[in-house]
Amino acid sequence: QVQLVESGGGLVQAGGSLRLSCTASTSIFSINNMAWYRQAPGKQRELVADISPGGRPNYADSVKGRFTISRDNAKNTVYLQMSSLKTEDTAVYYCNRQAGWWWQWGQGTQVTVSS
């Protein structure tokens, strides 16, 4: 019933930018923490950034200064603006909704950064 739909992934050159979007089909989105995770082949899934219901962001050290997470509660949407992309950012990116004890995941969107 409740879905997370991601979009915005693709292929970009190093130094370029992408914006990922994730929209939740629930009216309680506004009270949930939201996050972006990523997973590269052969590696564990890692936190990229998260954001509180009030809009306070948190970032992994590897993306600080390059990525910006934001949310629009009226649209039930969280964004990840990625700039100065590096080949090391190549991964499948997953949207995450944290409804207390229940963590919901999107289907994932591929981001590939070429040199």
Side-chain angles (χ1 to χ4, degrees):
Q1 183 176 344
V2 178
Q3 301 179 49
L4 296 177
V5 180
E6 298 152 314
S7 63
L11 173 65
V12 297
Q13 292 185 326
S17 299
L18 282 175
R19 189 179 76 159
L20 306 183
S21 298
C22 172
T23 299
S25 60
T26 176
S27 61
I28 63 172
F29 171 90
S30 63
I31 69 171
N32 300 145
N33 287 346
M34 298 294 297
W36 289 96
Y37 284 73
R38 67 186 181 188
Q39 187 169 25
K43 300 185 67 176
Q44 296 186 144
R45 189 172 298 187
E46 64 176 355
L47 175 68
V48 177
D50 57 35
I51 187 167
S52 73
R56 183 171 60 180
N58 179 63
Y59 300 97
D61 288 342
S62 60
V63 306
K64 285 181 179 178
R66 300 189 298 118
F67 291 10
T68 300
I69 188 170
S70 61
R71 66 191 297 160
D72 185 339
N73 288 340
K75 297 183 181 296
N76 295 340
T77 300
V78 63
Y79 305 94
L80 186 68
Q81 177 66 49
M82 305 184 293
S83 300
S84 301
L85 283 162
K86 305 175 180 179
T87 56
E88 302 97 292
D89 297 317
T90 296
V92 177
Y93 284 70
Y94 297 91
C95 180
N96 169 247
R97 184 172 74 94
Q98 299 165 11
W101 56 269
W102 181 49
W103 285 29
Q104 182 187 15
W105 298 92
Q107 81 284 355
T109 185
Q110 177 71 47
V111 172
T112 302
V113 184
S114 66
S115 60

